Amino acid sequence: MKNKDIVEAVAKMVQKKFEDEASGHDWWHIYRVWQTAKSISKIEKADLFIVELGALLHDIADWKFNSGDLTAGGKEAEKILLLFNIDQNTIQRVKDIIDQVSFKGDAIETPMSSIEGKIVQDADRLDAIGAIGIARTFAYGGNKGRPMYSPNIKPQLNQTFESYKNSTAPTINHFYEKLLLLKDRMNTQTGKSMAEQRHLFMETYLKQFYDEWNGEL
Ligand code: NI
């Protein structure tokens, strides 16, 4: 099978898995990360096959498992890749990306060991900021029953992974606890400049939000 056909087949499998799952984990997030990672790869020098497989499988653990097993994603990805007779070296490189990619709170460093992983992580972080990031953040907060904004509840920086996961803070706080920090955590030059543009958009958005909240003319 050609690499291109493998990527298409894996994309179809991932889409099907996520669509069959009622928990609302979102194929379209995967799709955006895949497209963005491809765009970054056009400029940064990387192995496109590894980037595409890493992007498509980066959240595969969330499809089925959501407990604390941080290697669940890598194991699930391996099962899928073995269906396509992919060599062990390639599988290992994809698994490394998946196990390293998740963001665990702003106090915890999550270094990526390969350029391909850096690109997938940048693409994943880019999907958390800008117009899509704002929409995702409010959708998530609404789903959890959180208020949009409470002026008296201040953002909490430097949280542990536990407190980050269990936060019940208003959605606006999440901008300060995660979204606005991401532009300084990009790995690649291309990712950085995409993040700068999306960051500026969020700052404009927040200014408008507070102006409207306070009834400014
Ligand atoms: Ni993701």
Side-chain angles (χ1 to χ4, degrees), residues 22-47:
S23 75
H25 271 108
D26 186 351
W27 155 250
W28 293 112
H29 162 67
I30 311 283
Y31 173 83
R32 292 188 300 267
V33 171
W34 177 28
Q35 302 311 311
T36 303
K38 277 196 278 187
S39 294
I40 298 173
S41 296
K42 281 187 189 141
I43 301 168
E44 308 284 336
K45 275 205 165 56
D47 183 331

PDB file of all heavy atoms in Angstrom, residues 22-47:
ATOM      1  N   ALA A  22     -20.330   8.322  21.363  1.00  0.00           N
ATOM      2  CA  ALA A  22     -21.317   9.345  21.730  1.00  0.00           C
ATOM      3  C   ALA A  22     -20.734  10.438  22.620  1.00  0.00           C
ATOM      4  O   ALA A  22     -21.337  11.485  22.797  1.00  0.00           O
ATOM      5  CB  ALA A  22     -22.501   8.684  22.411  1.00  0.00           C
ATOM      6  N   SER A  23     -19.549  10.217  23.168  1.00  0.00           N
ATOM      7  CA  SER A  23     -18.997  11.151  24.158  1.00  0.00           C
ATOM      8  C   SER A  23     -18.690  12.529  23.582  1.00  0.00           C
ATOM      9  O   SER A  23     -18.350  13.445  24.314  1.00  0.00           O
ATOM     10  CB  SER A  23     -17.727  10.570  24.769  1.00  0.00           C
ATOM     11  OG  SER A  23     -16.678  10.679  23.828  1.00  0.00           O
ATOM     12  N   GLY A  24     -18.817  12.658  22.267  1.00  0.00           N
ATOM     13  CA  GLY A  24     -18.636  13.980  21.682  1.00  0.00           C
ATOM     14  C   GLY A  24     -17.193  14.310  21.353  1.00  0.00           C
ATOM     15  O   GLY A  24     -16.884  15.437  20.998  1.00  0.00           O
ATOM     16  N   HIS A  25     -16.295  13.346  21.482  1.00  0.00           N
ATOM     17  CA  HIS A  25     -14.944  13.633  20.992  1.00  0.00           C
ATOM     18  C   HIS A  25     -15.045  13.810  19.500  1.00  0.00           C
ATOM     19  O   HIS A  25     -15.729  13.079  18.800  1.00  0.00           O
ATOM     20  CB  HIS A  25     -13.972  12.530  21.375  1.00  0.00           C
ATOM     21  CG  HIS A  25     -13.367  12.800  22.702  1.00  0.00           C
ATOM     22  ND1 HIS A  25     -13.683  12.089  23.810  1.00  0.00           N
ATOM     23  CD2 HIS A  25     -12.487  13.744  23.088  1.00  0.00           C
ATOM     24  CE1 HIS A  25     -13.019  12.590  24.834  1.00  0.00           C
ATOM     25  NE2 HIS A  25     -12.284  13.588  24.423  1.00  0.00           N
ATOM     26  N   ASP A  26     -14.293  14.755  19.032  1.00  0.00           N
ATOM     27  CA  ASP A  26     -14.668  15.388  17.802  1.00  0.00           C
ATOM     28  C   ASP A  26     -13.718  15.050  16.654  1.00  0.00           C
ATOM     29  O   ASP A  26     -12.542  15.401  16.683  1.00  0.00           O
ATOM     30  CB  ASP A  26     -14.651  16.895  18.101  1.00  0.00           C
ATOM     31  CG  ASP A  26     -15.171  17.718  16.962  1.00  0.00           C
ATOM     32  OD1 ASP A  26     -15.397  17.181  15.869  1.00  0.00           O
ATOM     33  OD2 ASP A  26     -15.337  18.922  17.182  1.00  0.00           O
ATOM     34  N   TRP A  27     -14.236  14.382  15.626  1.00  0.00           N
ATOM     35  CA  TRP A  27     -13.438  14.094  14.423  1.00  0.00           C
ATOM     36  C   TRP A  27     -12.933  15.393  13.800  1.00  0.00           C
ATOM     37  O   TRP A  27     -11.823  15.459  13.295  1.00  0.00           O
ATOM     38  CB  TRP A  27     -14.252  13.289  13.414  1.00  0.00           C
ATOM     39  CG  TRP A  27     -13.782  13.457  12.006  1.00  0.00           C
ATOM     40  CD1 TRP A  27     -14.419  14.113  10.997  1.00  0.00           C
ATOM     41  CD2 TRP A  27     -12.531  12.998  11.442  1.00  0.00           C
ATOM     42  NE1 TRP A  27     -13.663  14.091   9.853  1.00  0.00           N
ATOM     43  CE2 TRP A  27     -12.492  13.412  10.096  1.00  0.00           C
ATOM     44  CE3 TRP A  27     -11.448  12.272  11.958  1.00  0.00           C
ATOM     45  CZ2 TRP A  27     -11.418  13.139   9.246  1.00  0.00           C
ATOM     46  CZ3 TRP A  27     -10.368  12.002  11.109  1.00  0.00           C
ATOM     47  CH2 TRP A  27     -10.359  12.429   9.778  1.00  0.00           C
ATOM     48  N   TRP A  28     -13.742  16.446  13.833  1.00  0.00           N
ATOM     49  CA  TRP A  28     -13.344  17.682  13.138  1.00  0.00           C
ATOM     50  C   TRP A  28     -12.155  18.363  13.796  1.00  0.00           C
ATOM     51  O   TRP A  28     -11.409  19.064  13.121  1.00  0.00           O
ATOM     52  CB  TRP A  28     -14.537  18.637  12.977  1.00  0.00           C
ATOM     53  CG  TRP A  28     -15.534  18.022  12.040  1.00  0.00           C
ATOM     54  CD1 TRP A  28     -16.785  17.570  12.352  1.00  0.00           C
ATOM     55  CD2 TRP A  28     -15.339  17.750  10.642  1.00  0.00           C
ATOM     56  NE1 TRP A  28     -17.380  17.030  11.240  1.00  0.00           N
ATOM     57  CE2 TRP A  28     -16.523  17.127  10.178  1.00  0.00           C
ATOM     58  CE3 TRP A  28     -14.286  17.946   9.745  1.00  0.00           C
ATOM     59  CZ2 TRP A  28     -16.687  16.716   8.848  1.00  0.00           C
ATOM     60  CZ3 TRP A  28     -14.440  17.538   8.424  1.00  0.00           C
ATOM     61  CH2 TRP A  28     -15.627  16.931   7.988  1.00  0.00           C
ATOM     62  N   HIS A  29     -11.957  18.142  15.103  1.00  0.00           N
ATOM     63  CA  HIS A  29     -10.705  18.606  15.735  1.00  0.00           C
ATOM     64  C   HIS A  29      -9.521  17.855  15.118  1.00  0.00           C
ATOM     65  O   HIS A  29      -8.527  18.462  14.727  1.00  0.00           O
ATOM     66  CB  HIS A  29     -10.747  18.400  17.255  1.00  0.00           C
ATOM     67  CG  HIS A  29      -9.389  18.432  17.893  1.00  0.00           C
ATOM     68  ND1 HIS A  29      -8.621  19.581  17.936  1.00  0.00           N
ATOM     69  CD2 HIS A  29      -8.635  17.453  18.468  1.00  0.00           C
ATOM     70  CE1 HIS A  29      -7.455  19.299  18.536  1.00  0.00           C
ATOM     71  NE2 HIS A  29      -7.442  18.021  18.858  1.00  0.00           N
ATOM     72  N   ILE A  30      -9.656  16.552  15.017  1.00  0.00           N
ATOM     73  CA  ILE A  30      -8.593  15.732  14.415  1.00  0.00           C
ATOM     74  C   ILE A  30      -8.325  16.211  12.977  1.00  0.00           C
ATOM     75  O   ILE A  30      -7.177  16.369  12.560  1.00  0.00           O
ATOM     76  CB  ILE A  30      -9.003  14.238  14.337  1.00  0.00           C
ATOM     77  CG1 ILE A  30      -9.554  13.744  15.666  1.00  0.00           C
ATOM     78  CG2 ILE A  30      -7.859  13.375  13.809  1.00  0.00           C
ATOM     79  CD1 ILE A  30      -8.566  13.457  16.720  1.00  0.00           C
ATOM     80  N   TYR A  31      -9.414  16.416  12.253  1.00  0.00           N
ATOM     81  CA  TYR A  31      -9.295  16.874  10.868  1.00  0.00           C
ATOM     82  C   TYR A  31      -8.509  18.194  10.788  1.00  0.00           C
ATOM     83  O   TYR A  31      -7.604  18.328   9.970  1.00  0.00           O
ATOM     84  CB  TYR A  31     -10.698  17.052  10.269  1.00  0.00           C
ATOM     85  CG  TYR A  31     -10.696  17.684   8.897  1.00  0.00           C
ATOM     86  CD1 TYR A  31     -10.479  16.910   7.761  1.00  0.00           C
ATOM     87  CD2 TYR A  31     -10.870  19.067   8.745  1.00  0.00           C
ATOM     88  CE1 TYR A  31     -10.450  17.497   6.503  1.00  0.00           C
ATOM     89  CE2 TYR A  31     -10.846  19.650   7.487  1.00  0.00           C
ATOM     90  CZ  TYR A  31     -10.628  18.859   6.372  1.00  0.00           C
ATOM     91  OH  TYR A  31     -10.589  19.441   5.135  1.00  0.00           O
ATOM     92  N   ARG A  32      -8.843  19.158  11.644  1.00  0.00           N
ATOM     93  CA  ARG A  32      -8.149  20.463  11.611  1.00  0.00           C
ATOM     94  C   ARG A  32      -6.673  20.314  11.964  1.00  0.00           C
ATOM     95  O   ARG A  32      -5.805  20.937  11.350  1.00  0.00           O
ATOM     96  CB  ARG A  32      -8.830  21.461  12.561  1.00  0.00           C
ATOM     97  CG  ARG A  32     -10.226  21.889  12.132  1.00  0.00           C
ATOM     98  CD  ARG A  32     -10.756  23.025  13.006  1.00  0.00           C
ATOM     99  NE  ARG A  32     -10.855  22.682  14.410  1.00  0.00           N
ATOM    100  CZ  ARG A  32     -11.950  22.197  15.017  1.00  0.00           C
ATOM    101  NH1 ARG A  32     -13.065  21.993  14.331  1.00  0.00           N
ATOM    102  NH2 ARG A  32     -11.929  21.922  16.298  1.00  0.00           N
ATOM    103  N   VAL A  33      -6.392  19.488  12.985  1.00  0.00           N
ATOM    104  CA  VAL A  33      -4.992  19.274  13.376  1.00  0.00           C
ATOM    105  C   VAL A  33      -4.220  18.634  12.220  1.00  0.00           C
ATOM    106  O   VAL A  33      -3.079  19.021  11.920  1.00  0.00           O
ATOM    107  CB  VAL A  33      -4.911  18.404  14.657  1.00  0.00           C
ATOM    108  CG1 VAL A  33      -3.479  17.983  14.957  1.00  0.00           C
ATOM    109  CG2 VAL A  33      -5.502  19.169  15.842  1.00  0.00           C
ATOM    110  N   TRP A  34      -4.846  17.702  11.555  1.00  0.00           N
ATOM    111  CA  TRP A  34      -4.237  17.021  10.389  1.00  0.00           C
ATOM    112  C   TRP A  34      -3.915  18.046   9.302  1.00  0.00           C
ATOM    113  O   TRP A  34      -2.787  18.108   8.786  1.00  0.00           O
ATOM    114  CB  TRP A  34      -5.222  15.951   9.915  1.00  0.00           C
ATOM    115  CG  TRP A  34      -4.841  15.173   8.689  1.00  0.00           C
ATOM    116  CD1 TRP A  34      -3.593  14.894   8.230  1.00  0.00           C
ATOM    117  CD2 TRP A  34      -5.764  14.544   7.775  1.00  0.00           C
ATOM    118  NE1 TRP A  34      -3.679  14.130   7.078  1.00  0.00           N
ATOM    119  CE2 TRP A  34      -4.997  13.904   6.787  1.00  0.00           C
ATOM    120  CE3 TRP A  34      -7.154  14.450   7.713  1.00  0.00           C
ATOM    121  CZ2 TRP A  34      -5.578  13.189   5.733  1.00  0.00           C
ATOM    122  CZ3 TRP A  34      -7.739  13.737   6.670  1.00  0.00           C
ATOM    123  CH2 TRP A  34      -6.951  13.120   5.699  1.00  0.00           C
ATOM    124  N   GLN A  35      -4.902  18.885   8.931  1.00  0.00           N
ATOM    125  CA  GLN A  35      -4.686  19.884   7.873  1.00  0.00           C
ATOM    126  C   GLN A  35      -3.612  20.894   8.270  1.00  0.00           C
ATOM    127  O   GLN A  35      -2.743  21.254   7.469  1.00  0.00           O
ATOM    128  CB  GLN A  35      -5.994  20.634   7.544  1.00  0.00           C
ATOM    129  CG  GLN A  35      -7.136  19.733   7.093  1.00  0.00           C
ATOM    130  CD  GLN A  35      -6.720  18.755   6.009  1.00  0.00           C
ATOM    131  OE1 GLN A  35      -6.107  19.127   5.011  1.00  0.00           O
ATOM    132  NE2 GLN A  35      -7.020  17.488   6.204  1.00  0.00           N
ATOM    133  N   THR A  36      -3.681  21.369   9.522  1.00  0.00           N
ATOM    134  CA  THR A  36      -2.712  22.371   9.983  1.00  0.00           C
ATOM    135  C   THR A  36      -1.305  21.775  10.021  1.00  0.00           C
ATOM    136  O   THR A  36      -0.332  22.417   9.622  1.00  0.00           O
ATOM    137  CB  THR A  36      -3.130  22.889  11.375  1.00  0.00           C
ATOM    138  OG1 THR A  36      -4.456  23.408  11.282  1.00  0.00           O
ATOM    139  CG2 THR A  36      -2.194  23.992  11.867  1.00  0.00           C
ATOM    140  N   ALA A  37      -1.204  20.528  10.491  1.00  0.00           N
ATOM    141  CA  ALA A  37       0.103  19.867  10.548  1.00  0.00           C
ATOM    142  C   ALA A  37       0.690  19.713   9.139  1.00  0.00           C
ATOM    143  O   ALA A  37       1.890  19.904   8.925  1.00  0.00           O
ATOM    144  CB  ALA A  37      -0.031  18.498  11.228  1.00  0.00           C
ATOM    145  N   LYS A  38      -0.160  19.407   8.167  1.00  0.00           N
ATOM    146  CA  LYS A  38       0.315  19.317   6.776  1.00  0.00           C
ATOM    147  C   LYS A  38       0.823  20.672   6.298  1.00  0.00           C
ATOM    148  O   LYS A  38       1.872  20.751   5.656  1.00  0.00           O
ATOM    149  CB  LYS A  38      -0.823  18.836   5.856  1.00  0.00           C
ATOM    150  CG  LYS A  38      -0.976  17.334   5.845  1.00  0.00           C
ATOM    151  CD  LYS A  38      -1.815  16.867   4.658  1.00  0.00           C
ATOM    152  CE  LYS A  38      -3.295  16.996   4.931  1.00  0.00           C
ATOM    153  NZ  LYS A  38      -4.118  16.392   3.858  1.00  0.00           N
ATOM    154  N   SER A  39       0.092  21.734   6.613  1.00  0.00           N
ATOM    155  CA  SER A  39       0.517  23.082   6.207  1.00  0.00           C
ATOM    156  C   SER A  39       1.868  23.440   6.823  1.00  0.00           C
ATOM    157  O   SER A  39       2.738  23.981   6.143  1.00  0.00           O
ATOM    158  CB  SER A  39      -0.508  24.136   6.651  1.00  0.00           C
ATOM    159  OG  SER A  39      -1.715  23.948   5.955  1.00  0.00           O
ATOM    160  N   ILE A  40       2.035  23.146   8.096  1.00  0.00           N
ATOM    161  CA  ILE A  40       3.311  23.465   8.760  1.00  0.00           C
ATOM    162  C   ILE A  40       4.438  22.636   8.130  1.00  0.00           C
ATOM    163  O   ILE A  40       5.537  23.138   7.897  1.00  0.00           O
ATOM    164  CB  ILE A  40       3.226  23.213  10.287  1.00  0.00           C
ATOM    165  CG1 ILE A  40       2.171  24.129  10.920  1.00  0.00           C
ATOM    166  CG2 ILE A  40       4.586  23.432  10.955  1.00  0.00           C
ATOM    167  CD1 ILE A  40       1.899  23.834  12.397  1.00  0.00           C
ATOM    168  N   SER A  41       4.132  21.386   7.804  1.00  0.00           N
ATOM    169  CA  SER A  41       5.150  20.504   7.214  1.00  0.00           C
ATOM    170  C   SER A  41       5.644  20.981   5.861  1.00  0.00           C
ATOM    171  O   SER A  41       6.746  20.630   5.444  1.00  0.00           O
ATOM    172  CB  SER A  41       4.596  19.086   7.035  1.00  0.00           C
ATOM    173  OG  SER A  41       4.298  18.541   8.273  1.00  0.00           O
ATOM    174  N   LYS A  42       4.806  21.739   5.165  1.00  0.00           N
ATOM    175  CA  LYS A  42       5.232  22.250   3.862  1.00  0.00           C
ATOM    176  C   LYS A  42       6.401  23.217   4.022  1.00  0.00           C
ATOM    177  O   LYS A  42       7.191  23.404   3.106  1.00  0.00           O
ATOM    178  CB  LYS A  42       4.071  22.981   3.174  1.00  0.00           C
ATOM    179  CG  LYS A  42       3.096  22.022   2.541  1.00  0.00           C
ATOM    180  CD  LYS A  42       2.042  22.757   1.723  1.00  0.00           C
ATOM    181  CE  LYS A  42       0.964  21.779   1.301  1.00  0.00           C
ATOM    182  NZ  LYS A  42      -0.382  22.356   1.357  1.00  0.00           N
ATOM    183  N   ILE A  43       6.490  23.869   5.188  1.00  0.00           N
ATOM    184  CA  ILE A  43       7.531  24.871   5.405  1.00  0.00           C
ATOM    185  C   ILE A  43       8.678  24.301   6.246  1.00  0.00           C
ATOM    186  O   ILE A  43       9.845  24.504   5.940  1.00  0.00           O
ATOM    187  CB  ILE A  43       6.923  26.131   6.050  1.00  0.00           C
ATOM    188  CG1 ILE A  43       5.836  26.680   5.104  1.00  0.00           C
ATOM    189  CG2 ILE A  43       8.008  27.189   6.320  1.00  0.00           C
ATOM    190  CD1 ILE A  43       4.970  27.728   5.711  1.00  0.00           C
ATOM    191  N   GLU A  44       8.344  23.561   7.298  1.00  0.00           N
ATOM    192  CA  GLU A  44       9.367  22.939   8.135  1.00  0.00           C
ATOM    193  C   GLU A  44       9.770  21.616   7.464  1.00  0.00           C
ATOM    194  O   GLU A  44       8.942  20.947   6.874  1.00  0.00           O
ATOM    195  CB  GLU A  44       8.804  22.655   9.531  1.00  0.00           C
ATOM    196  CG  GLU A  44       8.155  23.851  10.208  1.00  0.00           C
ATOM    197  CD  GLU A  44       9.159  24.852  10.759  1.00  0.00           C
ATOM    198  OE1 GLU A  44      10.312  24.454  11.028  1.00  0.00           O
ATOM    199  OE2 GLU A  44       8.782  26.030  10.904  1.00  0.00           O
ATOM    200  N   LYS A  45      11.018  21.240   7.584  1.00  0.00           N
ATOM    201  CA  LYS A  45      11.453  19.980   6.969  1.00  0.00           C
ATOM    202  C   LYS A  45      11.097  18.810   7.889  1.00  0.00           C
ATOM    203  O   LYS A  45      11.599  18.715   8.998  1.00  0.00           O
ATOM    204  CB  LYS A  45      12.974  20.002   6.753  1.00  0.00           C
ATOM    205  CG  LYS A  45      13.407  20.666   5.477  1.00  0.00           C
ATOM    206  CD  LYS A  45      14.777  20.116   5.040  1.00  0.00           C
ATOM    207  CE  LYS A  45      15.106  20.462   3.598  1.00  0.00           C
ATOM    208  NZ  LYS A  45      15.060  21.905   3.304  1.00  0.00           N
ATOM    209  N   ALA A  46      10.226  17.929   7.408  1.00  0.00           N
ATOM    210  CA  ALA A  46       9.818  16.805   8.245  1.00  0.00           C
ATOM    211  C   ALA A  46       9.333  15.668   7.360  1.00  0.00           C
ATOM    212  O   ALA A  46       9.061  15.851   6.180  1.00  0.00           O
ATOM    213  CB  ALA A  46       8.708  17.246   9.191  1.00  0.00           C
ATOM    214  N   ASP A  47       9.215  14.491   7.967  1.00  0.00           N
ATOM    215  CA  ASP A  47       8.679  13.319   7.277  1.00  0.00           C
ATOM    216  C   ASP A  47       7.148  13.404   7.296  1.00  0.00           C
ATOM    217  O   ASP A  47       6.516  13.191   8.337  1.00  0.00           O
ATOM    218  CB  ASP A  47       9.178  12.066   8.010  1.00  0.00           C
ATOM    219  CG  ASP A  47       8.740  10.771   7.325  1.00  0.00           C
ATOM    220  OD1 ASP A  47       7.666  10.764   6.678  1.00  0.00           O
ATOM    221  OD2 ASP A  47       9.472   9.773   7.458  1.00  0.00           O
TER     222      ASP A  47
END
